[in-house]
Amino acid sequence: MAKPVQLTWLTGAQAIRLHDAGLRPPRGPFAYALVCDVRDPALAALANLALTDADLADERAPSASARTHFRARRSLLRALAAAALGVSPTSVRIAYDSDGAPRVDGLPAFVSVSSRGPLAALAVASSPLGIDLEPFDASAEPVDAVLHPREQAMLAELVSTARARAFLRIWTAKEAYLKALGRGFKRDPATIAATCEAAQFSIDDGGPAPLPVATFAPTMGLGDLIVACAVTA
Ligand SMILES: CC(C)(COP(=O)(O)OP(=O)(O)OC[C@H]1O[C@@H](n2cnc3c(N)ncnc32)[C@H](O)[C@@H]1OP(=O)(O)O)[C@@H](O)C(=O)NCCC(=O)NCCS
């Protein structure tokens, strides 16, 4: 059964400052997330690591700016995983599994990535995890095809901006969960149900207990973002 593990949010440049200050991973399970603009000057040193041929082979970006963002994301992801593991970023190699999920080759860490232009949500943990980032869009209409009937019923009771925000929060929570499973949209998102009580989200996937999902609204001048992270154990 999936169980939650400790989740520590490190936002913006804080992750890097803590690393520079000698942050070492705890002995127990770890989970870190970095939500940032990859162009942030505070991150420049870690966003410009020399990439390997394997990193560059993963680049599928269609435009020059998208390639620049991919390279910075990949560099930061390796740096974040290295910080969590207490190893050099040069020893962290990222690969993809057959379903497209990123993984760390040969080291005991799991990673997940989400991005929108230069904005990135990167996560590393000692258990499989998923992260998703969506900019808030007040005009977002619920898409019934991706929603569980219980979610559709809940959203039908809301109007306008509240409905748009609730839909996007549900959507990020579900996408984070599906990434944690390593399946992405190969799994039908309508078959799982997100519920929200107070600030806490959970996902019901038919198992004995729902899995908690952390949802997070960064407040460091990155705009109105919704971020969700699911960690399994
Ligand atoms: C994974 C997926 C949910 C991402 O959705 P998105 O909102 O477009 O993009 P995001 O920025 O949030 O996430 C992209 C990241 O997801 C990760 N990813 C891709 N497939 C994944 C999977 N099966 N499991 C976990 N993570 C995955 C990748 O790391 C990617 O980032 P990268 O290319 O920079 O390494 C979606 O692309 C997907 O399901 N892909 C696999 C199935 C597929 O190809 N379906 C096509 C028909 S629906």
Side-chain angles (χ1 to χ4, degrees):
M1 186 185 75
K3 285 188 303 186
V5 296
Q6 178 192 349
L7 187 68
T8 304
W9 291 103
L10 300 173
T11 60
Q14 287 172 22
I16 307 310
R17 280 202 295 272
L18 284 170
H19 177 214
D20 288 346
L23 176 74
R24 290 293 173 264
R27 282 183 178 275
F30 61 85
Y32 300 131
L34 172 66
V35 182
C36 63
D37 184 323
V38 298
R39 303 165 301 180
D40 184 343
L43 302 177
L46 294 174
N48 288 299
L49 299 178
L51 295 184
T52 64
D53 288 346
D55 289 324
L56 297 175
D58 289 337
E59 187 182 73
R60 292 179 290 261
S63 69
S65 66
R67 282 193 291 278
T68 303
H69 299 152
F70 172 86
R71 290 178 187 197
R73 270 200 311 280
R74 174 57 62 89
S75 178
L76 286 165
L77 185 65
R78 288 176 48 201
L80 185 66
L85 289 162
V87 301
S88 161
T90 55
S91 60
V92 176
R93 294 187 309 275
I94 306 292
Y96 292 102
D97 70 15
S98 57
D99 282 331
R103 59 180 167 77
V104 181
D105 251 359
L107 292 170
F110 298 83
V111 289
S112 187
V113 174
S114 184
S115 67
R116 187 65 70 94
L119 302 178
L122 309 171
V124 59
S126 47
S127 306
L129 85 169
I131 194 162
D132 189 49
L133 165 157
E134 298 287 340
F136 176 61
D137 173 359
S139 66
E141 285 295 329
V143 179
D144 281 349
V146 301
L147 294 170
H148 188 278
R150 288 208 301 271
E151 296 167 338
Q152 294 178 26
M154 190 276 281
L155 290 169
E157 292 178 7
L158 301 175
V159 292
S160 80
T161 307
R163 185 172 60 198
R165 190 173 290 279
F167 169 61
L168 286 172
R169 291 186 74 204
I170 287 172
W171 179 241
T172 52
K174 289 170 70 143
E175 194 170 327
Y177 174 75
L178 293 174
K179 284 183 177 176
L181 297 185
R183 298 288 290 154
F185 296 146
K186 287 182 176 160
R187 171 86 189 274
D188 179 358
T191 60
I192 60 170
T195 52
C196 176
E197 283 167 20
Q200 179 71 52
F201 261 89
S202 60
I203 299 282
D204 180 356
D205 194 5
L211 178 80
V213 178
T215 59
F216 180 66
T219 55
M220 311 90 52
L222 297 178
D224 193 352
L225 294 184
I226 298 170
V227 179
C229 192
V231 185
T232 64

